Every structure is written in C-alpha cells, then in structure tokens.
Amino acid sequence: MSQTHHPRPVNEPYDLVVCGGGITGAGIARDAAHRGLRVALVEKKDFGSGTSSKSSKLVHGGLRYLERYEFKLVFEGTNERALQMRKAPHLVRPIPFLFPIFKSNKPGLAVVDIGLWLYDGLAMFKNQLHRTYRNGKKVLAKEAALREDGLVGGIEYVDCLTDDARLTLENVLDARTLGADTFSYTAVIGMERDARGRVSGVRVRDQFSGAERVLPTRLAVVAGGPWTDEILGTAGVDLGRKLLRPTKGVHIVVDHAKVPITRAITFTTRDRRVAFAIPWVERTVIGTTDTDFQGSPDDVAADAADVKYLCDAANVLFPAAHLGADDVIATWAGLRPLIAPDKAERESDVSREHEVFTRDEGIVFIAGGKLTTYRRMAKETVDKAVEFLNDRGDAIFDGRTIKKCRTKNRSLPGAQGLESHNQAGVRHIAERLASSAGVEARIAEHLSQAYGMRAESVVLRGLADRALLERIDPELPYIWAEVDHAVDVDLARTIDDVLMRRIPLGLRARGQGLAVVDRVADRMGPRLGWDAAERRRQIEAYTKVVESTTRFRATPPARMAQ
Ligand code: FAD
C-alpha cells in the first residue's frame, strides 16, 4: 500500500484540526489525510477511550432498526459491514447469532423471519442467509443453556464482532502513516478567531505537562461524541439548545462457564428492548441498558441498578446461570451520542442516524451515528469540510490537488499486505505463528485477530526473550510482548491505555489486571521515562479506573433501570 505524506510546512496552518479521537474523529483524520489535506487530530485522553471502547463491539446492520422502518440505516450498516469485513478482516469478524423465540415474544417468529429476509435483502444477499427453526428442541440443540419453557423456535443469522478500541487505533495509525499529526492526552480548551470572526486556531492543553499552545488551522472539525455540546461550548458556539440527548449503555462481563453459549444470542428484554449475550471465548458479555443520562460524560459508570437489570434479564433467558453482582468480572459503560429529537421519545426509540453541520465561522461538527458506519460518516464530514474550504476560495490549497474519498479501497494497517482479505487470511496468520514461531494455538489466534499482519512483529520481540511470549494471565491469551508493543508502536501512554484498550485485562481478567499492574508498570516505565513518583501515580490512576467500573458494588440498587 502506498504511503503518502502531507507534512505541514512550518508557519502554514493545518487545513483541519479534528477535535476528539474516537472512531468518528480517527476516521475523519484518516480520510482527510488520505485525500491530501493537512490534518491534526486532538484527543484529550487515549484514542478510543470515550464511547468508542464502550460499545457492544458489533459491526452490524442493526436488525432492530427494522422495527422502526429505518431502512436507510440498515442498508448503510450492512454495506459498511461488508466493506469492513474485507478491509479489516482481522478486526471485523462474522460470528453466528441466534434469536430464540418464546411463546410470549412480540414480535413472534413469523415477523422476525420476515424481518431477517428484509435484513438479508438490504445486505443485497451478500450475507450468509439466515436459517429459521420452527421447533424449540432444534434451538436447544444449538444452545443448551437457553430456557426451554415456552421456546417455540429461533432464527440463526450472521453479523460481525469487532474490537472497537483497536478499530479506532488502526484508523489513527493509518492517519499518521498518511501524514496526519495526532496528539493524545491533549485537550481542546478553546478556539482562536481572526478579525472576521473565523476560526484561525484550536487552543489545546497537554494533559501531562499542562502546557498550552495553539494549532493554527483553516477549519475545526468537532467529533466529540457525547462531549460535542461541551466542546462546542468551549469553542464559543451557542446553538441555543443541546444538540445531543445521550443515553447510557452498560455491559457486564461474566465467566463463560456461567453463560456457556457458542453463538451470540439476540433477545428482547421484559421491557421490549433488544439486547445481546455475546461469547468472548473465556468470557460472556451481556448488554446493554438504555437510560437517559444527565451528568458529565466523564463520570459515566455502571451502577447497581444497571447490573441488576442485566443479571435479571440474563437469568430469564439462561435459568441455570443464577447471575448476581458477585459473578460480574467487569463492566463498561458509555453514552450513545444521539441527536436530540424534537419531541420526547423513549430512550431506545431515539434515532441512531448521524448529521453533519457546517458553521460559517469555520467549524464543522458531526453528531449521532454508529461505529459500524464510521467510514461513511468520515466521508460525509470531509466532503463538507472540503466544500467549505473550496467555497471560501482564496487559493486555500496552494495548488495542492485534493482527491476524492478513497477509503473504500484502503485496508486498515493490520490488513495491509494480507493477500486474502477474509477470515481464511487471518487464520493463515495464526497458523504461521503457531508453526514457525511455536506460539500456542489460542495465543496465535488472539494475536492474528488483534494485530492481523502486524502480529509477527509482536512475536518477533519474544524470539530474543522467550519470557515475552508467556501469558500475562493464565486464563487469557495476552502475552508480555504486547505491553512493549503497546508503548513502542500502538501509542499507549498510561497503564489504563494498556490494560483497558490494548490488552484488555481490565475487561476480562478476574481482578481486572490489578495483580500484574506493578509488572506492567515496570515494563512501561523505562520506555516512557517514568520516575518513581510517576510510576506510583500511574498505578494509582489505574486502580481508580478499576474502582469506577466496580462502583456498582458500593451503590444500593435503589433505582431500577427502565
Ligand atoms: P467518542 O468515542 O466518545 O469520541 C469522542 C472523543 O472526544 C472521546 O475520546 C473524548 O475523550 C474526546 N474529547 C472529549 N472532550 C475533548 C476535548 N475537550 N478535547 C479533545 N478531545 C475531547 N455502534 C455500533 O456500530 N455497534 C455497536 O455494537 C454499538 N454499540 C453501542 C453500545 C453502547 C452502550 C454505546 C454507548 C454505543 C454503541 N454504539 C455502537 C455506538 C458507537 O459506539 C458510537 O456511535 C461511537 O463509538 C461514537 O464515536 P465518537 O468518536 O463519535 O465518540
């Protein structure tokens, strides 16, 4: 894959500074750099640390949107899903889903079956077609953990599972390859304007040193997810009302032995919301809630009511599980950055559509959307940005040719050089790691799915020092070489970055990685120049993050999630 560089000449402004390094901002920075624009991406914490690591991790058409006749959303979703399966097969993997239907289910089997035909049709029958079982026994033969009582049938279909944080990271890495400047732990704190009131720079603060500076730019693009209203406020933009109506979504992680499923299970909760139980090899993930949220997006966390709601819902579906708060290994909570509707609607009825807005003063912002459609959202945003800069005239691109969006044809870094852009290609990487480097099969599988073609460079670190190929946690396939790789290559700067997003022991390990936090700090510290005080501060900061995800243990289940 060719690499293009568009470094910003000294004293020249950027064409755009993207504010917010979630999947939306990372996708925009990558697309813009690929077109030949001079770009900076600014993220106040780690890339992907906001909503983009707190999703259900599905790249899907969104079956449930059919209920509300949002065909366009499903069409876009299924098409983007097909594209991502080719351009990032290591990160976007098809997995089987089963939608069991019980006597009490509304909609019933016939309606869900029609919905699935529509779903397959909107994907232009590129899906592996769904299968319908009109008999509870056949469904139980597939998934024995399900409730037998009232089970009348089920539907099996295929959708994709991803690693949302890595999807974001690979967009950032590619944006850098294409010439973008990217800054994590750098917060947008204001915008500078010229005499005509146009944005001329984005004021930022380094979160470690506190140093402030201005990134000169022609345009600011705000991709702040649930922080969008806050960033626009910082930028002095008054919309006269809140743009977003964020809703909170919580997931819980339990031992796979507690909910031993081999397919993802789609189900409707008692309050008629669609939810999922998703097998995560050694674990099972159950989610999600959907409740209005009023506080600061920085403080979102699972509370006792959220955890009880999800355990209760799972216990109805899997009667032998008897899940309670003590079974929960980890939680994560995020805010859906939904655009506020004009009239009051139930939380789960608010549309997931996105919208791009342009302001004459030189600010483009995007709100709403999904992980699944990030590439398309990025395209629309950069199209609007280029149109805006073109309309402004004054030879703004100084003779540079700005190309059209070509991200449809470009693989993410882990898939670059992967000859067969499909699951067979990814399996081949795992087989090669196992046969030529002697890596244990489960570890090889994990490395191939997390890093794709980049997995070999992780394993190479272990050839000189075999201890680096050992598991960090005996239950999970993560290895020590990944800690070094996270810092040296994958832009990790804190223990939280490593243990929550690069090697997510914080989401999967019993004790959430606290047992190894000292050893992780020992490996990271010398690479990042930490002194003893900084090492201590880092460990304390990670401990606090873990505490925030287990806050539900300390809060009484007073409020029932609706
Ligand atoms: P974010 O990821 O939140 O990024 C915004 C970034 O801006 C943050 O990283 C934040 O730190 C940064 N920021 C904030 N303030 C500043 C500042 N002052 N300066 C610099 N940076 C700043 N979509 C799917 O397709 N599939 C799913 O399965 C799915 N499941 C979901 C489940 C839940 C519970 C939720 C909440 C969402 C789900 N979504 C799903 C939606 C999807 O996760 C989001 O639409 C997407 O991640 C939003 O990305 P974003 O980049 O817009 O926002």
Side-chain angles (χ1 to χ4, degrees):
M1 192 60 64
S2 68
Q3 298 188 357
T4 342
H5 289 275
H6 310 284
R8 178 177 64 104
V10 183
N11 299 329
E12 280 292 315
Y14 289 106
D15 294 318
L16 34 118
V17 171
V18 184
C19 311
I23 190 67
T24 311
I28 292 169
R30 172 180 184 247
D31 183 333
H34 196 205
R35 296 189 199 203
L37 291 160
R38 293 174 188 145
V39 190
L41 172 66
V42 183
E43 162 56 49
K44 77 169 175 178
K45 287 186 169 170
D46 180 25
F47 299 114
S49 59
T51 323
S52 299
S53 51
K54 312 290 175 10
S55 78
S56 303
K57 310 189 193 299
L58 302 177
V59 168
H60 60 159
L63 190 55
R64 71 197 177 85
Y65 307 139
L66 289 177
E67 230 188 326
R68 296 200 311 267
Y69 309 108
E70 295 195 84
F71 299 127
K72 181 169 161 265
L73 210 57
V74 177
F75 182 73
E76 276 177 14
T78 48
N79 278 288
E80 285 302 309
R81 182 189 62 185
L83 190 74
Q84 292 196 48
M85 280 162 71
R86 287 197 309 277
K87 296 298 166 196
H90 58 308
L91 291 177
V92 180
R93 287 177 290 118
I95 59 162
F97 280 70
L98 180 68
F99 194 156
I101 307 285
F102 295 90
K103 231 186 260 160
S104 55
N105 258 116
K106 281 199 183 68
L109 186 63
V111 175
V112 179
D113 191 22
I114 294 170
L116 256 303
W117 280 114
L118 203 56
Y119 198 55
D120 290 341
L122 287 167
M124 298 195 281
F125 297 101
K126 281 186 232 151
N127 288 347
Q128 195 178 317
L129 295 186
H130 76 275
R131 298 179 63 170
T132 307
Y133 303 103
R134 295 177 200 286
N135 174 332
K137 291 235 154 42
K138 285 206 172 132
V139 176
L140 274 184
K142 299 270 166 198
E143 294 295 340
L146 283 171
R147 188 178 87 226
E148 189 174 358
D149 186 27
L151 187 64
V152 291
I155 294 189
E156 202 174 11
Y157 65 101
V158 173
D159 241 325
C160 288
L161 185 63
T162 189
D163 177 335
D164 47 5
R166 282 207 168 269
L167 196 62
T168 307
L169 175 69
E170 288 214 8
N171 271 275
V172 176
L173 293 175
D174 206 32
R176 290 164 68 90
T177 300
L178 293 164
D181 289 337
T182 69
F183 307 97
S184 61
Y185 290 93
T186 303
V188 172
I189 53 168
M191 289 192 193
E192 308 278 305
R193 286 181 165 74
D194 64 15
R196 288 173 295 186
R198 290 172 172 179
V199 167
S200 58
V202 173
R203 178 167 285 280
V204 298
R205 183 176 51 227
D206 183 305
Q207 303 285 67
F208 294 119
S209 68
E212 293 183 13
R213 66 186 169 126
V214 174
L215 301 174
T217 189
R218 295 174 162 133
L219 190 65
V221 176
V222 176
W227 287 268
T228 300
D229 279 306
E230 191 180 299
I231 299 178
L232 288 174
T234 311
V237 174
D238 180 11
L239 300 176
R241 67 169 188 126
K242 284 225 163 168
L243 179 67
L244 298 179
R245 174 186 169 180
T247 70
K248 176 168 109 166
V250 168
H251 290 81
I252 57 173
V253 180
V254 300
D255 195 349
H256 183 254
K258 275 269 166 193
V259 182
I261 49 176
T262 53
R263 294 159 183 73
I265 308 292
T266 307
F267 63 100
T268 41
T269 56
R270 282 202 165 130
D271 52 342
R272 298 206 53 226
R273 294 189 36 258
V274 175
F276 300 100
I278 303 169
W280 237 23
V281 193
E282 298 81 1
R283 304 285 178 248
T284 298
V285 178
I286 298 157
T288 162
T289 60
D290 201 347
T291 49
D292 267 326
F293 183 81
Q294 313 292 350
S296 159
D298 292 317
D299 295 332
V300 60
D303 60 32
D306 298 321
V307 170
K308 182 171 180 335
Y309 172 90
L310 292 172
C311 288
D312 289 352
N315 288 335
V316 172
L317 197 64
F318 308 108
H322 303 298
L323 290 183
D326 289 346
D327 296 306
V328 175
I329 292 173
T331 64
W332 70 82
L335 294 181
R336 298 176 185 83
L338 308 178
I339 299 176
D342 293 335
K343 56 181 180 11
E345 291 189 38
R346 194 172 84 127
E347 292 91 326
S348 49
D349 289 342
V350 179
S351 174
R352 270 60 175 163
E353 294 248 30
H354 64 269
E355 210 169 324
V356 184
F357 305 84
T358 309
R359 293 196 43 113
D360 290 345
E361 65 210 89
I363 300 180
V364 170
F365 55 99
I366 174 156
K370 310 194 291 162
L371 196 69
T372 306
T373 44
Y374 86 86
R375 192 206 61 86
R376 226 189 138 100
M377 290 161 62
K379 175 188 178 299
E380 276 175 42
T381 311
V382 182
D383 282 348
K384 283 251 168 97
V386 171
E387 193 182 298
F388 180 90
L389 291 171
N390 270 330
D391 283 353
R392 198 189 268 183
D394 42 286
I396 214 121
F397 298 125
D398 352 302
R400 282 175 289 145
T401 316
I402 303 305
K403 302 196 183 76
K404 291 217 152 42
C405 175
R406 292 164 299 146
T407 47
K408 253 188 177 172
N409 304 320
R410 187 175 171 89
S411 297
L412 285 181
Q416 289 174 8
L418 187 66
E419 277 161 36
S420 108
H421 280 72
N422 55 31
Q423 290 309 304
V426 180
R427 276 195 301 275
H428 183 66
I429 298 173
E431 282 156 18
R432 222 168 45 208
L433 294 178
S435 63
S436 58
V439 176
E440 195 192 306
R442 172 69 184 115
I443 295 174
E445 179 192 48
H446 150 64
L447 293 174
S448 67
Q449 291 174 351
Y451 303 92
M453 290 294 283
R454 305 188 309 137
E456 261 171 47
S457 70
V458 179
V459 169
L460 273 179
R461 293 172 184 267
L463 294 187
D465 176 0
R466 296 296 291 187
L468 290 179
L469 295 181
E470 280 170 17
R471 289 178 182 240
I472 303 175
D473 179 297
E475 270 194 298
L476 300 167
Y478 308 116
I479 56 171
W480 285 100
E482 292 180 81
V483 178
D484 298 3
H485 178 90
V487 176
D488 297 348
V489 183
D490 281 353
L491 313 174
R493 298 185 66 190
T494 70
I495 296 178
D496 176 40
D497 303 352
V498 171
L499 290 182
M500 284 292 171
R501 287 170 294 281
R502 306 302 184 281
I503 311 166
L505 287 177
L507 304 182
R508 291 188 181 207
R510 293 173 213 281
Q512 299 185 262
L514 289 174
V516 290
V517 71
D518 285 299
R519 286 178 68 196
V520 171
D522 288 345
R523 291 213 75 82
M524 293 181 70
R527 301 183 123 75
L528 290 164
W530 294 344
D531 57 19
E534 179 59 17
R535 182 181 180 280
R536 209 170 34 249
R537 204 194 63 75
Q538 284 276 341
I539 292 174
E540 278 167 17
Y542 181 68
T543 309
K544 282 213 177 97
V545 172
V546 171
E547 277 166 13
S548 76
T549 72
T550 52
R551 204 186 288 168
F552 68 91
R553 295 193 205 285
T555 51
R559 179 189 61 78
M560 274 302 295
Q562 304 113 42

